[in-house]
Every structure is written in C-alpha cells, then in structure tokens.
C-alpha cells in the first residue's frame, strides 16, 4: 500500500512562496493541492488566478485544485488555463453535478467531487462511476490546521465499497488534519491520495513528512 501525497499550498509561507515551491519541487510530492475560496461557500478567502498563475509557473508538480466556492463551474476556464491535473468541485455547491463532471473531463482534467464532513457517501451512488476522484473532507472546509474528524475513516471504508461495487475507477482523496498518524488510519481504510497542509509546511523537515506519508 502507498499513497499519493498532495501538500496543501494554504499552509505555505506566503511571504516566501518561492522557497516553499522549491521545496515541493525537490520533494517526493505527487501533486500540489490548491484551495480556492470565495468567502461565501466557506468563511475565508485564500488566493485566486492572478497569484496561481505564478504558482503554476514555479511548480513542477501537477496541480490538484479544490474549489470551495459557489458556482464552481464559473472557474472551469481559469482552472484549465492553469494547466491543472485535477479539478475538485463540492457536491454541496453544484446542482447539475453530472453535467459539471462531463465538462471538467471534456476540458481534459480529472473530475473530482468533494464531500463536506456532513454529506454522506451514498449521495454519490449515481455519479461515482463517472468520477476520476472523490475528495472526502476530514475537517469543515475553509481553514488549515484543524482537528481531524475521525468518522472520515468510516467514510473512506464506505466509499471504497461503493467504488468496488460500481466498478468506478475513482481515487479516494482525503483533506484536513492529515498527518502520519491519521494518514495511516486512512490508508488502512483504503484511501489513495492524502492532502496535508500544516503537517508538511510546519514540519522541521517537510520533505521527510511527504516521504513518510507516501510510504503509508
Ligand atoms: C481546508 C483545506 C485544506 C487545508 C488542509 O479547507 O481544504 O486543503 O489546507 O490543511 P491541514 O492539512 O493543515 O488541515
Ligand atoms: Zn483542500
């Protein structure tokens, strides 16, 4: 068993982004996780396309974009223009999920659907076979450095069963409060991709934490 690791830029040092991106580039990280917020879907604002244009230029890892915004499909073109590998939209933010997923795939990106902690996995039953990825939130979205919600481990197990039962190829990604300890529980339950913000960027040796998470 091993995990893909997607360090979350939200916990990077914005006073010296170049240094943190150089660290990511030299590390074993698989993707770079990018949290876009609008202050409406979540009570916080992070960064938008003008900043991300430079991040995309400086980062040699595929971008894993997590949109915490209302009307996420308004961002299809800007996210595509960044050259993102994955576009994650929230289940709770998109009424026409099937159409949105098809449009993301037609744009050449992996289509990911994200569930808030209170949204049950079974809501994905009729769409999971069309997805490239499901992102389970293990904190309420909007902020880095929050405590891991332990019930997420059960959701990973349930989602793994749903994926197997439907013949879906979707990857299971988990975001929020992930460190080597909680990551081990998630990996044992069947996750594929771990997002980690504080656990990576606030560590003495971020590259070692990335490698430790990959080995779970
Ligand atoms: C939270 C974001 C996360 C966040 C994770 O809304 O979606 O990606 O950066 O940060 P940690 O790993 O510190 O919980
Ligand atoms: Zn995120």
């Amino acid at each position: 068993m091993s995990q893909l690791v997607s360090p979350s830029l939200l916990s990077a040092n914005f006073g010296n982004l170049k240094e943190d991106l150089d660290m990511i580039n030299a590390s074993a990280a698989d993707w770079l996780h990018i949290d876009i917020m609008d202050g409406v879907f979540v009570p916080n604002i992070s960064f938008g396309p003008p900043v991300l244009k430079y991040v995309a230029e400086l980062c040699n890892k595929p971008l894993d974009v997590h949109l915490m915004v209302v009307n996420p499909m308004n961002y299809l073109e800007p996210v595509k223009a960044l050259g993102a590998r994955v576009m994650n939209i929230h289940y709770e933010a998109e009424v026409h999920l099937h159409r949105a997923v098809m449009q993301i795939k037609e744009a050449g990106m992996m289509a990911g659907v994200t569930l808030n902690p209170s949204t049950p996995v079974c809501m994905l039953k009729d769409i999971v076979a069309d997805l490239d990825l499901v992102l389970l939130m293990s904190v309420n979205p909007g902020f880095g450095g929050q405590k891991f919600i332990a019930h997420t481990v059960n959701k990973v197990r349930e989602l793994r069963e749903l994926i197997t039962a439907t013949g879906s190829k979707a990857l299971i990604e988990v975001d929020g409060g992930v460190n080597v300890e909680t990551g081990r529980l998630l990996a044992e339950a069947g996750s594929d991709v771990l997002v980690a913000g504080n656990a990576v960027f606030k560590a003495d040796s971020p590259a070692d934490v990335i490698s430790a998470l990959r080995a779970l």
Side-chain angles (χ1 to χ4, degrees):
M1 213 158 40
S2 69
Q3 301 290 298
L4 299 178
V5 174
S6 191
S8 177
L9 184 70
L10 192 62
S11 298
N13 176 4
F14 295 126
N16 198 346
L17 263 187
K18 171 88 169 57
E19 190 181 347
D20 277 354
L21 290 171
D22 286 345
M23 179 280 289
I24 292 293
N25 288 341
S27 78
D30 296 280
W31 297 342
L32 179 66
H33 186 83
I34 304 277
D35 291 301
I36 300 181
M37 307 180 191
D38 65 354
V40 180
F41 183 73
V42 290
N44 196 10
I45 293 178
S46 52
F47 31 68
V51 174
L52 294 175
K53 177 174 176 283
Y54 292 99
V55 171
E57 280 173 19
L58 292 171
C59 184
N60 64 22
K61 307 285 182 179
L63 302 183
D64 163 33
V65 175
H66 174 197
L67 290 160
M68 283 162 275
V69 301
V70 297
N71 300 323
M73 294 309 286
N74 287 352
Y75 295 86
L76 181 68
E77 284 308 317
V79 172
K80 183 182 170 187
L82 287 176
R85 168 81 54 95
V86 188
M87 176 164 161
N88 282 297
I89 61 174
H90 267 260
Y91 171 86
E92 302 83 5
E94 178 54 62
V95 175
H96 302 291
L97 201 54
H98 182 270
R99 178 166 57 205
V101 164
M102 295 304 145
Q103 288 173 343
I104 294 170
K105 291 204 225 187
E106 275 160 27
M109 294 178 282
M110 288 172 67
V113 169
T114 308
L115 299 186
N116 276 336
S118 61
T119 304
V121 164
C122 64
M123 301 311 281
L124 296 179
K125 179 173 151 303
D126 292 330
I127 189 83
V128 74
D130 293 311
L131 301 181
D132 298 306
L133 185 147
V134 176
L135 175 57
L136 296 178
M137 290 309 301
S138 40
V139 297
N140 288 293
F143 304 91
Q146 301 183 82
K147 189 175 180 299
F148 181 76
I149 297 173
H151 176 61
T152 315
V153 177
N154 301 328
K155 289 178 79 172
V156 170
R157 257 186 234 110
E158 204 183 329
L159 178 56
R160 177 55 64 203
E161 281 173 23
L162 181 64
I163 284 173
T164 305
T166 54
S168 168
K169 301 268 193 303
L171 297 174
I172 301 177
E173 182 174 24
V174 186
D175 182 9
V178 174
N179 52 35
V180 173
E181 197 181 318
T182 55
R184 182 171 292 114
L185 302 175
L186 294 166
E188 283 169 4
S191 64
D192 301 297
V193 188
L194 300 175
V195 177
N198 271 29
V200 166
F201 287 98
K202 310 294 185 215
D204 291 339
S205 176
D208 288 343
V209 174
I210 291 169
S211 297
L213 289 168
R214 285 190 92 242
L216 291 175

